[in-house]
Each structure stands twice: as structure tokens, then as C-alpha cells.
Amino acid sequence: MVRWRAGTVAGLRRRWAGAVELDVELDGGGTMRALAYPGLVGDPEPGDRVLLNAGALLMGLGTGGYALVVALPDRLPPDPAQVLDTRDAGHLVKARYTPLQPILLGVDEEASPHHAVLADADDLAGLPVVTADLHSALPAILAGIRADAPHARVVYLLTDGGALPAWFSRTLAGLRDELAGTISVGQAFGGDLEASTLHSGLLAARHVLGADVAVVAQGPGNLGTGTRWGFSGVAVGEAVNAVAALGGRPVGSLRISAADPRPRHRGVSHHSLTAYGRVALARAELVVPDGLEPALAADVDAALAPLAGRHTVVRVDTTGLDAALRRSPVTLSTMGRGLDADHAYFLAAAAAGRHAARLASVMSGAER
């Protein structure tokens, strides 16, 4: 349940798109680092009273390094300028029936300027879509795409398995100039466009934002329980099914590691094996990077052998990908490990990006 705290804003720290970090002096003594989403609660200033949800911070959860500002009770933000009592400004409710549910204009609903485009849209026309388990794969996938297709239009679809607000992700804020847009789908929100489902979000990526390549991954805050089925990344398999149902081309980014201390995540993570091996009912192209250390390569081959009948395993040359990863405009980090500490993880994601870029190039050439 919620662990409430109250206090006063002592000072502001960093700010990025959609979020502001602050220090709060707590009633009763002590301080807490907190995060506010101005789009939900208003823009805090020193001296403001704040109500906090401190549960994740007090538990020390991996991406829960903040208390979250629930309200500025003495200085409520004004109503949005376009709020109406009709559906003309949108009626897509996300984080539904929570105290901070936002009401947004969905790209696919009747009041959207894009409704006419999406009303009959039903086909991705072969759009390559990279599916990934962790949010940390996004910049590495993008580095792989940019290595071969520096001008490709890349759209990111934020699913709701991890953080719901796109604003939480400093990675995403740092990649804004690299992306043609972000679409938040399902219960996630805060993207450049909002979609009610992954399916409509994929169609918007293709037909509204003109994507050459799309990337589907949850926000930061992956949930895992150490069981076969109890992890939020299981939705990767459902993403493969959605892409295939719409006539796209699913490209599976594998979670590969030689550095993770947990046996279930070394080689090919059990998350990838379950999502692609059990949940995905449609065929995907699972990308394996060349140049892995021999023992790791052997483990990866052995793990993927049972999946070869239902998916296509594609080996991708990795020449130049290390340099591309090192040029990333944002810091690469997964589970607290950087590029050199878990090189295989990032290399695998970049290889998936490279493969998708090459598919997009072939598709573009065919269209010409």
C-alpha cells in the first residue's frame, strides 16, 4: 500500500522533459529526494507543501530512487487550457481509476486529427519492428539502426509493463532528437502521441509518424519475480503477435549476458526464452550478434536451438557496432552495468537494430 509522507520543497535539482527532481524537508525531520511530473501535479517551487508517495524509495526498489509527488495541496495547478466537458479534447483515460488518472486525446479516437487516417488502417506493410524486454535496450537498438541508416525515421512505442509515464525516463529525454516520436500505449502515457492499444499505436507509427523502423519496449521499471511467468517482459511475446497480425516484420532483440550474476539471465535470459519460445505465436527474426566470446556463443546457440522451429535465427555482423554504441547520446546502463561491464547485452540489442535497418532499406528499395 501507499506509504505517505508530507513536507516542504527545500530545493530543485535536475529537470528533463516532463519531470523535475527536488529535495523535500519532511515533517518531523529528515529529507527525501522526490520526483514531480508537472503535467500531473503542477510545477513545484521551493517553499511549496508536497504530499509524497514514498513506498518505492523506502523499499530501495531498483528504479524507485525517488519519492513521487502526489500533490501540491496549497497550490493546485490550473485546469489545462483545452479542457472541455465534452470528448472534443479527448476521452482516453490512462492509469485508470487511480488518483492521478490523466484524460488525454488518443491518436485513434474520433476527436483526433489523425482519426481519418487510422479509421481504416489495418496494415503495417512490412514495417520492421524491434521488440525488446528491457527499456535499457532502446538506446543500443537505436545505435545499431543509426550505424547503417543514420536518417531513418525511428518511432518508439512505450508499453505499460514498466514505468507508466514516459516522463520518468531520462534515457528517453536524451533521445528526443534521435526519434521521430514516442507513442505511449495501453496504460502508459506522456508520449508525443497516445494510443489505446499497441495495435493502434503501431498503425500510428507507420501511418501518422511515417516510421521506417519501430521499437517496442516497456518503460524503465521491469518487474521480475524469479519465476518463469512472473515478469513484465512476458509482453514481448504479445508484441510479436501484434506486429505479425498487422502485417509487420517482428525482429526479436534477445536479452543476452555473460555478466549477470543470476544464472537464469546468463546466456539467453529465461525472459527471452519464455516470451519468444512460449508466448509469441507468430514467427519472428531472432537476432544473434556475431563475435560473442566462444563460451557465451555456445550457450546462446544451445538455448536457441529449441526455438529454431518456430522462429528464424539471424546472425548479424557486428563490425562497427561497438563504436556506434560508444557514440550513444545517452549513457548505456542495464541493471547497473555499463557497456564494458555487460558488452554482450548491448551488442545483441544493437545487432537487432542493425538488422531492422537493413530490412527497412530493402523495403524502401522495393517500394521505389
Side-chain angles (χ1 to χ4, degrees), residues 250-263:
V251 175
S253 177
L254 295 169
R255 184 173 169 182
I256 293 174
S257 177
D260 200 301
R262 299 163 294 179

Side-chain angles (χ1 to χ4, degrees), residues 16-19 35 37 63-66 68 163-171 220-221:
W16 58 91
L35 192 71
Y37 302 124
T63 51
Y66 299 102
L68 296 173
L164 295 184
W167 308 317
F168 183 79
S169 174
R170 292 195 299 274
T171 293

Side-chain angles (χ1 to χ4, degrees), residues 45-298:
E45 298 176 358
D48 279 338
R49 293 282 299 161
V50 291
L51 300 179
L52 304 176
N53 179 339
L57 174 60
L58 293 172
M59 290 182 66
L61 298 181
T63 51
Y66 299 102
L68 296 173
V69 175
V70 178
L72 312 178
D74 299 329
R75 194 170 62 84
L76 298 178
D79 287 345
Q82 294 184 334
V83 164
L84 300 172
D85 293 329
T86 69
R87 297 186 176 191
D88 293 346
H91 75 293
L92 183 56
V93 182
K94 297 202 176 186
R96 289 189 280 275
Y97 303 105
T98 65
L100 291 177
Q101 61 180 20
I103 301 177
L104 305 160
L105 178 62
V107 67
D108 43 354
E109 63 176 306
E110 292 86 345
S112 167
H114 308 297
H115 179 74
V117 171
L118 294 176
D120 296 317
D122 194 41
D123 190 0
L124 294 177
L127 177 71
V129 181
V130 184
T131 58
D133 178 6
L134 299 178
H135 188 68
S136 57
L138 174 61
I141 293 168
L142 192 55
I145 295 170
R146 292 282 175 248
D148 289 4
H151 303 299
R153 291 182 61 81
V154 183
V155 174
Y156 169 53
L157 291 103
L158 172 75
T159 61
D160 53 18
L164 295 184
W167 308 317
F168 183 79
S169 174
R170 292 195 299 274
T171 293
L172 192 53
L175 293 174
R176 288 183 68 86
D177 293 340
E178 299 289 325
L179 294 168
T182 294
I183 304 175
S184 33
V185 306
Q187 291 293 303
F189 58 92
D192 300 301
L193 297 175
E194 306 288 347
S196 53
T197 67
L198 177 57
H199 297 75
S200 59
L202 286 165
L203 291 166
R206 180 72 174 90
H207 297 286
V208 174
L209 295 181
D212 299 311
V213 179
V215 181
V216 177
Q218 63 183 330
N222 170 69
L223 174 64
T225 65
T227 63
R228 181 182 298 275
W229 294 102
F231 64 98
S232 52
V234 74
V236 171
E238 300 291 4
V240 169
N241 297 336
V243 173
L246 294 172
R249 194 156 178 177
V251 175
S253 177
L254 295 169
R255 184 173 169 182
I256 293 174
S257 177
D260 200 301
R262 299 163 294 179
R264 64 184 183 274
H265 291 303
R266 285 202 294 271
V268 182
S269 168
H270 82 100
H271 284 188
S272 289
L273 296 176
T274 298
Y276 293 119
R278 300 285 300 278
V279 181
L281 303 179
R283 180 171 289 272
E285 296 174 52
L286 305 183
V287 176
V288 177
D290 282 341
L292 295 176
E293 185 270 331
L296 176 59

